[in-house]
């Protein structure tokens, strides 16, 4: 096992310096060819977030729109006028639960609070007209609600202690877990099937590509099958991602990765953000 530490000094001690260092590492280690384009910028547009409201004293959860697809179209139109560079637009949090963790892949739907398939297709056409690309981000790893055949009890990851591996967010001040934020990781054996459903459920969506931000930077184990060590110690995560990326590319969809682990970076068409943890 090797751990590499690279000190960044002077002008290189910055976020851009980290990006260049990571890129050079992938190239020098033979994992990626030097084909990066400098004439491109990436824009991530946040869709919505879940909020709690009440009706006649009865509480319920709904998505609060931060940016609708119509507003996203206005943003892209203005940005394309300001710059002659090629660009990529990533729609993040436009599913059923917004940017919050809910159903697998956001329910494979566009939240009705944020827009429609018709508006999404119109945005895609605008991006293509302006020589840009539109990506829709799907969280294939984290989920907290059952839907589309995936159950939080039967289809989530089991830890080495034979218990469901519940995940939580933590209070950064006192480092205690926030019980209300509990979610689960989709079982490793379901990843390929869940990714396949993206192509099936979005067959009428006009997209340049698919963004798989969490899948590209989260590697994890699954001990659900005690007779087979196929998913022990994060085994096979690189090959799983490679198969999923190849499946999407065979369907003429580009793949966008975020904070990408090395194996994800080398299988993606577009990489945004730099691994910081």
């Amino acid at each position: 096992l090797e751990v590499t530490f690279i000190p960044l000094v002077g002008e290189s001690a910055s976020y851009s310096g980290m990006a260049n260092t990571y890129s050079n590492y992938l190239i020098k280690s033979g994992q990626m060819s030097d084909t990066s384009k400098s004439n491109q910028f990436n824009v991530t547009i946040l869709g919505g977030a879940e909020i709690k409201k009440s009706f006649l004293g009865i509480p319920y959860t709904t998505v609060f729109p931060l940016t609708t697809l119509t507003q996203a179209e206005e943003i892209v139109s203005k940005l394309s006028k300001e710059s002659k560079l090629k660009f990529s637009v990533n729609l993040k949090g436009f599913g059923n639960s917004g940017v919050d963790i809910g159903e697998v892949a956001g329910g494979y739907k566009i939240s009705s609070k944020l827009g429609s398939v018709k508006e999404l297709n119109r945005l895609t056409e605008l991006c293509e007209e302006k020589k840009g690309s539109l990506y829709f981000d799907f969280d294939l790893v984290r989920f907290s609600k059952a839907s589309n055949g995936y159950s939080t009890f039967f289809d989530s990851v089991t830890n080495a202690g034979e218990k469901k591996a519940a995940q939580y967010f933590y209070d950064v001040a006192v480092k205690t877990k926030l019980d209300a934020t509990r979610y689960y990781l989709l079982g490793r054996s379901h990843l390929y099937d869940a990714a396949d459903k993206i192509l099936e459920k979005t067959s009428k969506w006009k997209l340049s590509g698919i963004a798989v931000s969490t899948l590209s930077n989260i590697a994890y184990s699954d001990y659900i099958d005690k007779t087979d060590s196929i998913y022990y110690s994060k085994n096979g995560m690189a090959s799983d991602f490679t198969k999923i990326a190849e499946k999407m590319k065979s369907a003429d969809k580009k793949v966008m990765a975020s904070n990408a682990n090395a194996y994800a970076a080398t299988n993606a068409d577009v990489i945004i953000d730099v691994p910081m943890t």
Side-chain angles (χ1 to χ4, degrees), residues 7-141:
L8 302 178
V9 297
E11 294 183 357
S12 296
S14 64
Y15 187 83
S16 296
M18 287 177 64
N20 289 330
T21 301
Y22 187 47
S23 177
N24 291 333
Y25 159 73
L26 293 173
I27 294 169
K28 289 179 180 178
S29 61
Q31 299 182 73
M32 186 170 68
S33 60
D34 188 6
T35 58
S36 61
K37 301 290 194 302
S38 60
N39 62 335
Q40 179 168 314
F41 70 91
N42 304 306
V43 180
T44 296
I45 300 177
L46 300 181
E50 285 190 334
I51 59 171
K52 294 187 181 299
K53 301 182 79 172
S54 64
F55 178 73
L56 298 178
I58 302 174
Y60 67 96
T61 301
T62 186
V63 171
F64 177 79
L66 304 173
T67 316
T68 65
L69 286 173
T70 300
Q71 292 170 332
E73 188 175 350
E74 295 175 8
I75 292 171
V76 171
S77 181
K78 290 179 180 178
L79 285 176
S80 62
K81 290 180 180 178
E82 295 295 326
S83 175
K84 301 300 181 183
L85 299 177
K86 290 183 178 180
F87 62 90
S88 296
V89 177
N90 180 27
L91 298 178
K92 187 178 182 66
F94 279 79
N96 277 345
S97 53
V99 295
D100 296 284
I101 300 172
E103 303 163 281
V104 173
Y108 299 95
K109 294 180 180 177
I110 302 170
S111 170
S112 59
K113 298 283 186 180
L114 304 173
S116 64
V117 174
K118 183 178 180 181
E119 290 172 321
L120 177 71
N121 291 343
R122 193 171 63 219
L123 177 57
T124 302
E125 291 171 356
L126 173 64
C127 288
E128 292 176 347
E129 177 188 329
K130 303 296 183 180
K131 309 300 182 185
S133 302
L134 183 69
Y135 296 81
F136 196 101
D137 189 76
F138 292 93
D139 188 345
L140 287 172
V141 175

